[in-house]
């Protein structure tokens, strides 16, 4: 086998950070399977060619496994004559266990299967959260899938469909977790497997689950449907630990790094080194809990918030998700069913009303949040906005009917308006 | 202009104020060190030279009749030094160099029915527009609204019982000549204009009327044989912009032109950047001569602010801290779909975070 | 003379706040001039009619004085048959002395003239700052103007023209004043009297001058061209007065009302009760100076900032002015000339490029700030923005040329970029 | 799909992670009390039960070859408890219950060329996309960029010398599969697409390509007799959105597809709301194999941040406090007209205040 020279790539073997080039070369030079040696050799050849010319040489196509319409990113080389063994170099997107937990055994098992059918290159994980098995021929994608599907792995999403989801480490380890991220993750995604495996939506639709507002999954930024853990009651304060903190770090440090950083000035450090929290002002931003995890913990009345419409740049520029459900409990079957119902109604409305290749966030910007909320029968809440409208360009007849609705839902708000 | 008189004007423009300025102010011009607030309505400014100037501020009806104006001059001569100014809120200010004359001046003013106050953390005089007394497009009055509300806010003007100064404004149509304010009481039309098609052709320059509409709801049309204009009522946001250039597009309606209350406008740069006011209540009847419903809402908002805000928090600072959920709860005002912005840039007013209040 | 009944207006005579109704009635009932008695009687009649029917009954028109095209708001009654003596009820907009200073003598003199020719009703001032002499016949507007013009008063703006300006009390009394508001006010406005008296702009154009960022003139909100005093060096701190303040108010109060309210956390209260100001972080918001005027004062290197494009609601919704000149000195003739030049170029560009009835703020929103700045030859400055662009939808070829410009203007910014 | 195999898939979906979870984590699931950071790359989480789980985080090349993957498994069995996970930034984490085994595990990892670190206030592993190795639309590589930059940031990954955690992302085209970040290195095309008119008709669904353009710069056209597409180059913002659906509209250019650096993206809700990243530098050459110019800028920004920010300030918090004037001064990056937004909602990014920095 004639090795392609890779002068530019070779420069990526120096330096301390683990080198993917070295890794690929190891497959090329020392792997026992000829197919893998040849594939990786040609892959390096084409990649070197890209580095030399500063251009990419892959083109797409459409392939999938029997019974599915998606889950694979097909790649055919535009320079396949010069690099025939990596001419077909498809990536299988395989859903990871919720929370990305693996035993070394299951990793080995996946490695063995991939060794049989693929290039020997794999990524944990892609930016959407899939295990990416990078580099299989059209034929082998099926065999590989058949094999791993037997022991519990399934393809993820590609194309205009429900995509693979992500959930943070959360309850498995993290003291900030306010909900069961992995349960939410699986119940949501596994309820939409048909929409995932047979792409038929206007465009992609992503779920992400973070156990608290630190949002380690970037759910608000990158998910069409974000589930974020939070709490409704008072945060838990361990005053002894607060005092401990003052002892070790000093009052000044605590004032400058916690008290003055609270976005709503909800914290007061009392003269006796105890901490007072104004829980009605607290917006659950997490900062003080992050700085003092021993002293401060989320409250006990926990649940999740839902935000809709995050996406990145294409067409309208980046967009964050915005709140549609400020808080909901997730304790029993009914709660979970309620969550799944909201997701279903959302996706149905999206499927019916979005334009081709329009994300749900774009759709909401086009039709207005209110229309979306009304379609789903979700009650308006001030938590959905940063502030009420600043301009008078709205037609407010039917004000009284709308006011009625509010008072019915909020009897505790006395109706002194009419009284007046 | 058919007129005998052919005098050529002297284009003198804006007169120099220095000539009418109190000598102490003139001498210390640009050299003031600090001020104190001895009591509501009274300011004591001290210059680097050590000189001091006392200011006494009094509220008046903005529409002054000559008797009232002359009375103010008389008081200014007798109890002060004959130098006055009017603030941007049409309060009169008497400037004097001798602090001992302040008390008598105040008594004289109060005896003559003028209200001393409106400084610092009080409710300032409500800024005032023309209304039915003079404007050609008003849906309500201005002088009457201000009078009615100030009658109810007299203590808040006279005393310092607010967390910070409160600037209230009113406007008698949706064009809003009154500024934004900590609280603003404005007209909010709720129905599209009623068009008198017989007049449009003669009165209105149709292309420029079409251009005036913020949502492009107006299109030229022939109505029973006459060139006129047509409004797409599904698009129309009832803003009234088409009315001034085209009076036959009557936007004002005794029943359907309502009042709306806005809060949190702050134009100073103190603390946060200047910020716009936000809609909190609408659908309020336009109810002369005393507009009790609107006043009741304003008073309720002021009460909540007074009870819950911290020193130096303007209304916007306060609501930013406690959040809108809590504001609607405290003020007992309904939150509706109308509060959720749907105008350009709406996106930025949605809550793209999990910052939430419970 | 038969008095019109005014049952509704009468209800506005009760209550403590001075009553305009009582005032107008006084003219009607006790003034020696019949014309004034009759005019005010009919005025009250029409106003009562408006209260009864909740509608206005004035219509506009076009009148002015000889030689001018504006400065008067003409009003003709639609119900003039029933209220003949107030059939013509025009308002003259007269420019006040800069800073709104008056001696009682000059007020009396104005009163005497108005008594001769007008209704006897006057306002100090309208929202734009004019003395409004409310209620004169077409004929009398000329006589009244002639008389007051003789002793130094001139009409202000009405229509698509440069409008009357406003400047705060400022240097006359206020310790926060950073500039000579009245001089700026007069130099600007009096340079554009032709544009004021002969309306020929696309739309109105307003100047407002505030001596400091407290902006008591609402200039940022309501002026097309706002001039705001500020300072460039360190704020002046009188530490003795700071200590005094602590003595009288207490540390806690100072921390909660000053330190934690600083928008950029630029203030530190030291243990010895002295105050440290990080002047590079300070944004000149004025808050701490407002709370402690004895202890804190603006710096000594004073000047003004210019903001363009404030307006209220019509057509596009409210808009604040935005910074085009972060700082300029105003100490000598050349400085002032420079200011006037910028105003002239701004108004020329506005006259040539704005659409009919488009404010300069709307125009800038339409063409983009950059085009406006380039047309005026104003250098870009980070102070003009809250933050750089958040989206990638811009064509950045010619990046290097633009970078060049910056480095030429800012030699101190070393060019390690290229060095890299 | 022409294929023998007719096996019907088991649509099992997302597997349950619990089965692969460390027993201590399973037992204390949802009952963790706090965590400590004993040293860079190591987390110690303590459960309400008193149990503890230690986590050791190591950076890897994201593109794992089977040898590397098996090596990691081997280390996981020998020095840990055989339970691992991968973070959202493709770092591997080993979980073990016995703290005394942490040191040996770290040595084993480092000996085998893996880098332990990336926790707390360090520079986290750069998030990674596909690039020339696999994608069909990249203008640059991803693995190479990440490798080059991490080589330069290895100390910042290994140690805690940043004011707060730093999340860096890259994207190999302007579509940006990489997230936003404290610092993001993205492609910025500077020329409109070059259209191969001979192919458009066969390859592209023209209406949907037209619909893809954010500024409506594309219109159908006949080019030498063939139906094709035409770009209005005055409108085109060179975003590349038209390229995926229509490869003949080649947007990538070895010379004119540049790199841009963005800063201040923050997706957590800690302190302020999540905020978008801002453009700071563009026109940077796309220069494989090591992209030194881009790396130099990133390092300079990190140095300024390190020297000037306060504890717990993310990059966005820091710049908000010191202001953009000062940022451009410190970073010695040029400020240009390209920094001033001209996209929808631009208005909100202009300084409508006299909050100024000198
Ligand atoms: C006289 C007047 C200027 C003039 O030339 O007319 C004026 C004068 C002073 N203003 Fe003002 N302001 C005046 C209208 C305003 C306005 C405009 C308005 O009222 O429409 C504003 C901005 C309004 C807004 O933001 O909506 C204004 C925002 C301020 C502020 C900022 C307050 C804040 O914290 O946001 C201060 C600072 C303070 O309160 O200490 C201030 C402070 C002051 C001081 C204390 C300045 C000084 O040291 O002398 C003056 C005495 C004020 C007082 O009433 O205690 N002045 N001030 C205006 C009096 C209006 C009135 O009769 O009530
Ligand atoms: C008299 C006054 C209200 C008052 O009683 O104080 C007033 C009265 C009128 N304004 Fe105004 N505006 C007055 C200050 C303002 C202000 C406040 C200011 O200047 O600081 C504003 C908001 C700031 C601004 O310029 O945007 C203001 C924004 C408007 C607008 C909307 C402009 C916009 O672009 O949004 C209009 C409508 C128009 O110009 O077509 C308008 C139009 C009018 C007209 C001419 C109505 C019309 O189009 O026929 C009103 C004549 C009333 C009358 O019969 O006298 N007036 N108008 C104020 C002028 C008195 C004076 O000269 O001192
Ligand atoms: C393992 C991981 C979640 C996962 O399931 O993969 C994770 C785990 C933790 N995150 Fe995170 N975060 C992880 C990605 C993120 C991300 C997303 C990302 O990196 O792209 C974010 C939001 C990114 C952004 O804002 O741009 C994120 C924002 C935070 C924050 C908020 C920081 C802030 O002040 O803004 C905290 C709180 C803190 O720093 O104490 C946090 C805190 C933590 C804590 C300390 C939570 C806990 O008590 O256990 C965990 C240890 C973090 C550490 O490295 O010290 N984590 N964290 C992710 C590790 C990524 C990595 O390998 O570097
Ligand atoms: C593989 C991956 C990058 C990586 O190496 O990690 C990736 C790769 C591609 N993305 Fe992506 N995206 C990947 C995560 C993302 C993310 C991040 C996320 O999901 O959290 C985003 C931003 C969030 C979002 O959804 O907006 C993302 C936003 C896009 C977009 C722009 C979508 C938008 O509305 O702005 C496109 C373009 C499109 O869909 O037409 C896109 C399109 C693509 C395509 C299919 C290019 C194309 O249209 O042919 C790339 C295939 C590359 C390949 O050959 O494998 N990819 N893409 C990530 C998926 C791996 C996985 O499944 O785990
Ligand atoms: S999102 Fe919250 S719960 Fe999840 S890992 Fe991050 S900090 Fe922990
Ligand atoms: S969580 Fe955030 S908002 Fe709540 S008290 Fe702590 S710092 Fe303040
Ligand atoms: S607010 Fe409207 S009605 Fe009132 S004076 Fe101004 S333009 Fe006239
Ligand atoms: S009222 Fe406003 S929205 Fe309606 S037609 Fe007139 S201008 Fe257009
Ligand atoms: S704007 Fe500033 S200088 Fe002018 S009066 Fe107000 S506080 Fe004084
Ligand atoms: S003026 Fe404002 S920004 Fe400057 S230090 Fe004082 S409070 Fe802070
Ligand atoms: S960023 Fe662009 S080039 Fe890179 S993987 Fe995503 S789509 Fe492909
Ligand atoms: S590059 Fe972007 S802006 Fe230019 S034509 Fe293509 S889609 Fe339109």
């Amino acid at each position: 086998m004639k090795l392609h020279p890779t002068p530019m790539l070779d420069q990526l073997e120096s330096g301390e950070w683990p080198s993917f080039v070295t890794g690929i070369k190891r497959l090329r030079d020392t792997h026992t399977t000829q197919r893998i040696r040849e594939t990786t050799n040609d892959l390096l050849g084409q990649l070197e060619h890209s580095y030399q010319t500063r251009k990419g040489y892959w083109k797409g196509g459409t392939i999938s496994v029997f019974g599915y319409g998606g889950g694979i990113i097909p790649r055919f080389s535009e320079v396949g004559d010069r690099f025939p063994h990596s001419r077909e170099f498809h990536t299988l997107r395989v859903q990871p266990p919720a929370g990305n937990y693996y035993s070394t055994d299951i990793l080995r098992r996946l490695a063995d299967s991939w060794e049989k059918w693929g290039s020997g290159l794999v990524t944990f994980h892609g930016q959407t959260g899939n295990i990416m098995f990078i580099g299989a021929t059209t034929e082998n994608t099926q065999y590989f899938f058949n094999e791993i599907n037997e022991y519990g792995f399934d393809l993820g999403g590609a194309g205009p469909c429900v995509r693979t989801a992500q959930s943070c480490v959360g309850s498995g380890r993290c003291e900030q977790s306010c909900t069961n991220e992995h349960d939410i993750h699986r119940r949501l995604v596994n309820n939409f497997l048909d929409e995932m495996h047979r792409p038929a939506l206007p465009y992609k639709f992503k779920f992400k689950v973070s156990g608290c507002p630190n949002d380690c999954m970037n759910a608000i930024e990158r998910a069409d449907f974000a589930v974020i853990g939070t709490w409704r009651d008072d945060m838990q304060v361990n005053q002894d630990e607060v005092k401990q903190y003052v002892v070790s770090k000093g009052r000044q440090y605590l004032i400058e790094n916690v008290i003055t950083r609270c976005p709503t000035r909800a914290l007061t450090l009392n003269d006796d080194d105890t901490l007072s929290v104004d829980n009605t002002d607290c917006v659950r931003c997490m900062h003080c809990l992050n700085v003092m995890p021993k002293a401060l913990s989320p409250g006990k009345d926990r649940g999740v918030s839902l935000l809709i419409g995050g996406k990145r740049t294409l067409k309208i520029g980046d967009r964050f998700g915005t709140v549609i459900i400020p808080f909901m409990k997730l304790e029993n079957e009914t709660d979970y069913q309620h969550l799944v119902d909201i997701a279903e109604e959302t996706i149905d409305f999206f499927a019916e009303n979005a334009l081709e290749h329009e994300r749900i966030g774009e759709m909401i910007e086009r039709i207005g949040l209110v229309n979306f909320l009304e379609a789903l029968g979700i009650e308006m809440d001030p938590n959905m906005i940063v502030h009420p409208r600043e301009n008078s360009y709205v037609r407010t007849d039917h004000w009284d009917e709308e006011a009625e609705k509010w008072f019915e839902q909020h009897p505790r708000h006395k109706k002194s308006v009419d009284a007046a | 202009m058919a007129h005998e008189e052919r005098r050529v004007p002297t284009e003198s423009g804006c007169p120099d104020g220095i000539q009418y300025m109190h000598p102490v102010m003139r001498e210390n011009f640009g050299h003031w060190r600090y001020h104190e607030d001895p009591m509501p309505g009274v300011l004591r400014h001290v210059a680097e030279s050590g000189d001091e100037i006392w200011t006494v501020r009094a509220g008046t009806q903005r529409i002054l009749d000559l008797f009232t104006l002359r009375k103010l001059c008389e008081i200014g001569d007798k109890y002060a030094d004959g130098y006055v100014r009017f603030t941007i809120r049409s309060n009169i200010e008497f400037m004097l160099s001798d602090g001992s004359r302040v008390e008598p001046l105040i008594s004289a003013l109060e005896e003559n029915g003028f209200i001393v106050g409106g400084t610092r953390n009080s409710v300032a005089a409500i800024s005032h527009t023309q209304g039915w007394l003079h404007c050609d497009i008003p849906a309500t009055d201005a002088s009457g609204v201000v009078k009615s509300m100030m009658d109810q806010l007299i203590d808040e003007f006279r005393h310092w019982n607010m967390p910070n100064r409160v600037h209230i404004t009113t406007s008698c149509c949706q064009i809003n000549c009154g500024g934004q304010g900590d609280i603003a009481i404005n007209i909010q039309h709720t129905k599209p204009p009623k068009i008198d098609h017989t007049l449009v052709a003669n009165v209105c320059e149709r292309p420029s009327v079409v251009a005036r509409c913020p949502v492009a709801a107006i299109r030229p049309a022939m109505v029973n044989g006459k060139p006129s204009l047509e409004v797409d009522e599904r698009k129309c946001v009832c803003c009234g912009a088409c009315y001034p250039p085209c009076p036959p597009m009557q936007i004002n309606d005794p029943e359907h032109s309502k009042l709306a209350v806005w809060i949190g406008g702050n134009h100073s740069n103190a603390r946060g950047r200047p910020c716009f006011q936000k809609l909190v209540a609408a659908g309020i009847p336009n109810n002369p001569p005393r507009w009790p419903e609107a006043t009741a809402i304003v008073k309720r908002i002021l009460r909540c602010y007074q009870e819950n805000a911290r020193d130096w928090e303007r209304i916007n600072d306060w609501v930013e801290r406690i959040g809108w959920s809590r504001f609607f709860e405290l003020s007992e005002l309904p939150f509706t779909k109308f509060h959720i912005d749907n105008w350009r840039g709406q996106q930025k007013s949605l809550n793209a975070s999990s910052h939430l209040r419970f």
Side-chain angles (χ1 to χ4, degrees), chain A, chain B:
Chain A
M1 173 178 90
K2 187 177 158 308
L3 302 191
H4 300 287
T6 56
M8 284 183 101
L9 292 179
D10 297 349
Q11 298 179 50
L12 287 170
E13 292 197 84
S14 59
E16 267 195 275
W17 191 259
S19 169
F20 68 104
V21 174
T22 308
I24 302 176
K25 281 189 178 176
R26 210 180 293 129
L27 288 173
R28 179 194 67 182
D29 301 337
T30 68
H31 200 279
T32 51
T33 317
Q34 180 184 7
R35 181 181 45 76
I36 291 182
R37 290 199 307 277
E38 290 173 341
T39 309
T40 47
N41 181 38
D42 279 359
L43 175 69
L44 286 168
Q46 174 171 332
L47 189 57
E48 174 73 15
H49 183 52
S50 282
Y51 270 64
Q52 298 288 348
T53 56
R54 288 192 268 166
K55 289 171 89 330
Y57 295 98
W58 299 109
K59 55 179 180 331
T62 38
I63 72 156
S64 187
V65 296
F66 175 71
Y68 286 179
I72 295 172
I73 299 288
R75 289 299 174 238
F76 300 93
S77 174
E78 290 172 338
V79 288
D81 320 349
R82 293 166 55 189
F83 311 105
H85 297 98
S86 54
R87 170 178 270 119
E88 292 181 3
F89 202 72
H90 315 315
T91 285
L92 290 100
R93 292 181 171 178
V94 174
Q95 295 190 62
N100 299 345
Y101 297 100
Y102 299 93
S103 63
T104 47
D105 299 345
I106 194 67
L107 283 179
R108 283 213 187 71
R109 192 155 179 201
L110 288 165
D112 297 345
S113 304
W114 186 233
E115 192 159 42
K116 276 205 246 145
W117 308 111
S119 69
L121 293 175
V122 58
T123 281
F124 297 87
H125 302 89
Q127 292 289 333
T128 303
N130 284 296
I131 314 170
M132 298 198 295
F133 292 93
I134 304 178
T137 61
T138 307
E139 192 177 18
N140 289 353
T141 52
Q142 184 70 57
Y143 296 122
F144 176 70
F145 171 69
N146 292 351
E147 189 167 318
I148 64 170
N149 188 228
E150 286 299 326
Y151 54 85
F153 286 87
D154 195 0
L155 289 187
C161 63
V162 168
R163 296 298 186 91
T164 296
Q166 277 170 308
S167 52
C168 68
V169 61
S171 306
R173 182 180 81 192
C174 180
E175 70 269 25
Q176 313 291 22
S177 172
C178 296
T179 188
N180 185 333
E181 302 80 6
H182 317 117
D183 210 356
I184 298 170
H185 174 164
R186 296 185 64 239
R187 283 172 187 257
L188 285 172
V189 157
N190 292 348
N191 184 71
F192 295 102
L193 292 175
D194 188 34
E195 288 78 359
M196 174 180 287
H197 294 140
R198 295 164 196 87
L201 295 177
Y203 194 10
K204 62 183 73 166
F205 192 94
K206 294 176 178 177
F207 291 102
K208 292 189 199 293
V209 187
S210 287
C212 83
N214 280 330
D215 194 4
C216 295
M217 296 296 101
N218 299 312
I220 293 178
E221 177 209 8
R222 298 203 232 156
D224 298 278
F225 191 108
V227 183
I228 312 262
T230 190
W231 67 96
R232 201 164 42 174
D233 58 342
D234 293 358
M235 103 174 43
Q236 304 182 61
V237 182
N238 180 329
Q239 297 292 3
D240 300 338
E241 290 292 348
V242 174
K243 292 204 178 72
Q244 270 313 313
Y245 193 89
V246 174
V247 171
S248 57
K249 292 286 210 165
R251 275 181 74 87
Q252 193 62 18
Y253 185 90
L254 195 146
I255 289 171
E256 280 176 10
N257 290 279
V258 181
I259 308 297
T260 64
R261 305 292 180 92
C262 172
T264 51
R265 291 185 273 107
L267 297 171
T268 317
L269 178 62
N270 306 313
D271 300 347
D272 62 357
D273 290 355
T274 58
L275 188 76
S276 303
V277 183
D278 180 334
N279 285 281
T280 60
D281 281 356
C282 168
V283 292
R284 283 58 174 168
C285 86
M286 295 302 295
H287 176 74
C288 60
L289 292 83
N290 292 336
V291 180
M292 309 168 70
K294 274 185 166 176
L296 306 176
S297 312
K300 292 196 159 82
D301 182 9
R302 302 177 178 188
V304 299
S305 319
L306 306 185
L307 293 86
I308 299 271
K311 72 179 285 297
R312 274 220 73 184
T313 313
L314 206 69
K315 294 215 299 298
I316 63 167
D318 289 43
R319 195 182 181 289
F320 287 136
T322 72
V323 175
I324 65 157
I325 302 284
F327 186 87
M328 67 184 284
K329 299 289 288 180
L330 280 182
E331 279 173 348
N332 49 44
E333 271 313 310
T334 351
D335 296 340
Y336 274 99
Q337 193 47 52
H338 182 42
L339 174 65
V340 172
D341 291 344
I342 294 173
E344 268 178 9
E345 285 161 21
T346 302
I347 288 175
D348 291 348
F349 187 82
F350 172 59
E352 280 157 30
N353 296 281
L355 308 174
E356 187 243 335
H357 206 274
E358 184 180 54
R359 296 288 285 268
I360 193 165
E362 288 171 81
M363 183 199 75
I364 289 176
E365 240 175 270
R366 178 169 53 81
I367 69 172
L369 179 65
V370 166
N371 291 323
F372 175 76
L373 295 172
E374 285 184 333
L376 266 69
I378 296 174
E379 160 195 345
M380 316 285 154
D381 187 300
N383 269 320
M384 295 170 180
I385 58 174
V386 177
H387 57 72
R389 66 168 50 249
E390 292 177 329
N391 71 78
S392 59
Y393 293 160
V394 58
R395 186 168 168 176
T396 54
D397 38 12
H398 311 303
W399 175 273
D400 295 341
E401 294 83 321
E402 294 298 320
E404 241 356 281
K405 287 188 200 161
W406 175 260
F407 288 122
E408 276 156 19
Q409 290 145 349
H410 303 79
R412 75 180 161 147
H413 293 220
K414 273 182 272 61
K415 298 180 58 178
S416 357
V417 190
D418 315 358
Chain B
M1 192 187 64
H3 205 286
E4 315 319 324
E5 184 59 67
R6 282 287 170 267
R7 174 181 173 282
V8 178
T10 317
E11 302 203 30
S12 46
C14 172
D16 188 350
I18 305 286
Q19 60 188 311
Y20 305 119
M21 198 184 277
H22 191 293
V24 171
M25 296 169 79
R26 215 178 302 147
E27 286 146 24
N28 297 280
F29 192 84
H31 294 284
W32 296 92
R33 244 192 79 224
Y34 68 89
H35 88 281
E36 287 174 338
D37 301 272
M39 69 185 81
V42 180
L43 308 167
R44 173 173 169 268
H45 285 86
V46 178
E48 290 161 5
S49 66
D51 293 355
E52 54 182 55
I53 191 82
W54 292 73
T55 300
V56 174
R57 180 181 300 169
T60 68
Q61 68 272 50
R62 192 184 75 156
I63 309 288
L64 299 176
D65 57 284
L66 291 174
F67 294 108
T68 306
L69 178 60
R70 289 190 173 122
K71 170 62 69 181
L72 289 165
C73 292
E74 185 191 314
I75 294 174
D77 291 342
K78 188 135 175 263
Y79 299 91
D81 306 343
Y83 296 96
V84 303
R85 64 183 301 279
F86 292 89
T87 70
I88 194 175
R89 292 186 167 266
S90 300
N91 289 314
I92 188 165
E93 291 183 332
F94 297 87
M95 274 73 60
L96 20 66
S97 47
D98 175 358
S100 69
R101 302 182 63 203
V102 165
E103 287 293 356
L105 170 59
I106 293 178
S107 331
L109 284 164
E110 291 277 342
E111 275 155 25
N112 287 279
F114 303 105
I115 318 294
V116 174
T119 59
R120 225 182 66 174
N121 55 325
S122 54
V123 172
I126 296 176
S127 71
H128 192 303
T129 51
Q130 291 285 59
W132 288 328
L133 188 88
H134 198 273
C135 192
D136 58 338
I137 58 179
T140 189
D141 195 29
S143 320
V145 174
V146 170
K147 159 68 176 163
S148 311
M149 294 201 171
M150 287 314 294
D151 279 343
Q152 296 282 308
L153 300 174
I154 208 98
D155 290 343
E156 288 69 20
F157 180 85
R158 271 215 181 96
H159 304 107
W160 288 333
N161 43 32
M162 289 290 142
N164 195 348
R165 59 185 70 246
V166 179
H167 290 127
I168 303 182
T169 76
T170 60
S171 289
C172 24
C173 83
Q174 217 173 311
I175 274 170
N176 297 325
C177 297
Q180 297 215 343
D182 292 294
I183 301 178
I185 303 92
N186 296 351
I187 284 294
Q188 185 75 26
H189 303 293
T190 62
K191 300 289 179 197
K194 291 203 200 65
I195 308 178
D196 180 342
H197 294 289
T198 58
L199 297 180
V200 173
N202 338 347
V203 186
C204 317
E205 216 193 83
R206 298 192 303 156
S208 59
V209 179
V210 168
R212 201 71 66 91
C213 178
V215 293
I218 309 175
R219 44 175 182 273
M222 295 296 288
V223 182
N224 33 43
K226 281 184 148 216
S228 182
L229 295 164
E230 208 166 60
V231 168
D232 178 340
E233 305 217 341
R234 291 183 327 279
K235 275 193 187 174
C236 174
V237 290
C238 313
C239 71
C242 51
Y243 179 54
C246 186
M249 296 182 75
Q250 183 55 262
I251 189 74
N252 293 320
D253 181 294
E255 191 45 44
H256 299 299
S257 293
K258 303 285 192 182
L259 295 182
V261 173
W262 303 69
I263 72 165
N266 182 338
H267 305 137
S268 83
N269 292 274
R271 299 170 302 283
R273 296 192 174 81
C275 62
F276 295 112
Q277 61 197 20
K278 283 81 175 157
L279 176 74
V280 294
I284 305 160
N286 176 22
N287 192 0
R290 283 197 162 271
W291 295 270
E293 302 84 355
T295 310
I297 291 175
V298 168
K299 290 201 79 168
R300 196 157 72 252
I301 291 168
L302 283 171
R303 200 194 58 237
C304 300
Y305 170 58
Q306 182 178 2
E307 288 168 1
N308 297 281
R310 299 177 185 169
D311 286 8
W312 293 100
E313 280 180 339
R314 290 273 300 269
I315 285 184
N316 64 301
D317 301 312
W318 165 57
V319 179
E320 242 164 67
R321 175 173 55 80
I322 68 165
W324 288 97
S325 303
R326 188 128 177 71
F327 170 80
F328 283 100
E329 189 185 324
L330 289 170
S331 64
E332 294 171 2
L333 293 168
F335 179 80
T336 70
K337 66 180 187 183
F338 304 115
H339 291 98
I340 300 177
D341 199 353
N342 57 355
W343 187 241
R344 293 170 207 150
Q346 34 152 304
Q347 205 41 41
K348 302 253 180 199
S349 74
L350 300 180
N351 185 6
S353 78
S354 59
H355 282 201
L356 298 164
R357 320 266 189 159
F358 303 111

